[in-house]
Amino acid sequence: MTVVLTHRTLPDEMAYLLPTTAPDVWRAAVARAAQLLAPSWDEHPSNLNALSFILLTLSVEREQSPESIPLQAVAEELSAQGEEPQELSRRIKAAGTTAGVLGNGYGPDTLDTLWTDLSSWLEAPGEPMGDAPGHPPALWAAVGRLHEVISGLDAATIRQTPVPLPSPGALTISAGRYVQVVSTNAIRPIKCDTCASCEGGSLRVDGPAVTFVCTEGHTTADHRLEVWHVRNALAHAGVPIGAEVTVEGDLLVTSRAYGEQSDPRSLSRFTAALLA
């Protein structure tokens, strides 16, 4: 059976940025960013993450709530940035720390990983970071895209645009047997770090984090798991996304090393033969 996966929607992207422990000011920044991007989202999906951090920064610096930041102020901020907005990165980190959004470590319920992914240089494929310049932070390209989108908006349109509501961001996915992580040459179950059990556990998705919870209640973070791969695993399993769902038998999740829309059953001849 061929499964056609839909592209990420704006509510989906919002849910990814909103763990249940997110501070109110961050929730407000994400909501305002989504409202500004909503009119052009279908044609120009832009970096909601970057705009949310920029709005958070303006909110802290101007001592205003994110929802009250004028469209013109956002446009001017984006217009003022050069091709390498390093000072903006510094300001975002400072504002995020002041607001309690950043500086909380890298646990499954923090937002620091989101900022690190957005602001860090990326390794060039196949090259250690010290041997190649790598790729600039995603924030830099996002600022250029956002400037193009935001500068084309008018305040009247935004006033008439409702604030989008996020998709369910906290999910519990119970597996009838095992949570299996699939790569081209291996299919391995997630095991509990504490008791080594792997049968009958569940995955818990909360914003950008996904963890495995065994039947004894122990929580394990496995580097092979990634939220978008888990969400798409439900689609491949024919299970609609909901706050609490159950997958009969094994839950097959493509390893994060592969494309997020990859069907675990057809990653390779090996998986196709074994999972047919």
Side-chain angles (χ1 to χ4, degrees):
M1 179 182 67
T2 301
V3 177
V4 178
L5 300 179
T6 59
H7 293 289
R8 300 183 194 175
T9 65
L10 181 53
D12 290 342
E13 294 281 2
M14 293 176 71
Y16 181 76
L17 300 180
L18 295 172
T20 52
T21 56
D24 289 343
V25 66
W26 175 249
R27 293 182 178 277
V30 172
R32 177 61 168 164
Q35 183 187 33
L36 295 179
L37 294 176
S40 60
W41 183 263
D42 290 340
E43 294 79 19
H44 303 286
S46 295
N47 199 312
L48 179 67
N49 189 10
L51 185 55
S52 298
F53 274 113
I54 291 169
L55 281 162
L56 174 70
T57 301
L58 293 175
S59 171
V60 171
E61 293 178 347
R62 296 164 65 103
E63 298 184 349
Q64 291 180 247
S65 62
E67 59 267 28
S68 68
I69 302 296
L71 173 63
Q72 184 63 28
V74 180
E76 290 174 356
E77 179 65 41
L78 292 168
S79 179
Q81 304 304 319
E83 294 183 359
E84 300 181 3
Q86 298 182 38
E87 176 60 18
L88 176 61
S89 294
R90 185 199 64 77
R91 288 167 53 207
I92 289 174
K93 186 174 182 179
T97 302
T98 297
V101 172
L102 299 178
N104 301 306
Y106 292 91
D109 58 349
T110 69
L111 294 162
D112 289 82
T113 300
L114 289 175
W115 171 240
T116 298
D117 291 344
L118 187 64
S119 61
S120 298
W121 280 77
L122 306 175
E123 291 185 17
E127 295 286 347
M129 197 61 178
D131 298 336
H135 301 291
L139 175 68
W140 294 12
V143 166
R145 293 194 302 269
L146 288 169
H147 176 251
E148 181 179 348
V149 171
I150 298 300
S151 62
L153 296 175
D154 63 85
T157 298
I158 294 304
R159 283 195 296 270
Q160 297 171 7
T161 301
V163 177
L165 296 176
S167 302
L171 313 175
T172 298
I173 307 164
S174 300
R177 292 185 67 238
Y178 303 104
V179 177
Q180 302 270 23
V181 179
V182 182
S183 60
T184 55
N185 58 1
I187 302 173
R188 295 191 177 97
I190 299 291
K191 290 186 178 181
C192 174
D193 283 345
T194 303
C195 65
S197 68
C198 53
E199 186 170 1
S202 62
L203 293 182
R204 289 184 183 172
V205 173
D206 188 11
V210 55
T211 53
F212 174 74
V213 181
C214 75
T215 54
E216 296 297 321
H218 307 133
T219 298
T220 298
D222 191 294
H223 68 91
R224 295 171 296 168
L225 294 173
E226 190 272 338
V227 168
W228 297 112
H229 290 71
V230 171
R231 284 176 170 265
N232 287 329
L234 289 178
H236 287 300
V239 177
I241 289 179
E244 295 189 16
V245 297
T246 299
V247 174
E248 296 183 6
D250 291 345
L251 171 60
L252 304 174
V253 183
T254 303
S255 170
R256 70 184 305 151
Y258 305 92
E260 67 184 49
Q261 294 200 345
S262 300
D263 186 341
R265 294 172 179 79
S266 56
L267 275 182
S268 66
R269 292 180 180 178
F270 169 76
T271 61
L274 200 61
L275 299 174

